Amino acid sequence: MTLPRPANAVPVSRWRSRPATPTPGAREDGTPRVVPGVYLLTQEASPQFAKPITVRVIRELTDRNSFHGWAWIQAYVLDRNGDAVQRRELFVRPVGLRPVPPPSRSRARSRRRGTAGGDR
């Protein structure tokens, strides 16, 4: 005998765990996946970056269609101190992203402390 389900019952599928996020590697078309991190974007990544910028990639937008060898990403544009100044969605070639170390925060903090207190 089966028990009647209430009209507002949540389907069992809603309580199953979500699939794991895709692992770094390559998509079906061979395009490498974009891993979150800090990157220098130059014209190798996209012609729009004639003037290179440094970004912190938040995630790759896998729900958008893209051409073979290209990907959509969400990223923060970083200034020279490593502070996020703008959030952007960018269309880039993952093979053109150059990983760079995150900007040093210690110099920026010490510079701010020295000027804010007037201890010069």
Side-chain angles (χ1 to χ4, degrees):
M1 179 173 170
T2 60
L3 297 174
R5 291 179 45 186
N8 62 350
V10 176
V12 176
S13 62
R14 291 286 302 260
W15 299 111
R16 291 185 189 140
S17 62
R18 291 184 175 180
T21 57
T23 57
R27 293 186 290 219
E28 296 80 30
D29 65 358
T31 305
R33 294 216 178 265
V34 179
V35 179
V38 178
Y39 295 94
L40 179 66
L41 301 183
T42 62
Q43 285 187 322
E44 294 174 9
S46 178
Q48 66 182 320
F49 302 117
K51 179 182 175 190
I53 62 171
T54 304
V55 297
R56 180 178 310 274
V57 173
I58 305 167
R59 70 181 143 263
E60 180 180 0
L61 301 172
T62 56
D63 58 335
R64 292 191 182 177
N65 293 330
S66 61
F67 295 107
H68 176 75
W70 291 80
W72 282 97
I73 60 170
Q74 275 188 347
Y76 288 108
V77 177
L78 303 178
D79 64 6
R80 63 182 174 170
N81 297 325
D83 296 324
V85 293
Q86 185 180 21
R87 185 174 178 164
R88 295 180 64 182
E89 292 182 358
L90 304 168
F91 191 55
V92 297
R93 289 187 298 233
V95 295
L97 300 177
R98 287 196 261 165
V100 294
S104 174
R105 302 283 302 177
S106 61
R107 283 187 268 150
R109 286 188 185 137
S110 64
R111 210 175 323 148
R112 288 181 188 152
R113 270 192 241 128
T115 59
D119 297 335
R120 291 186 177 187

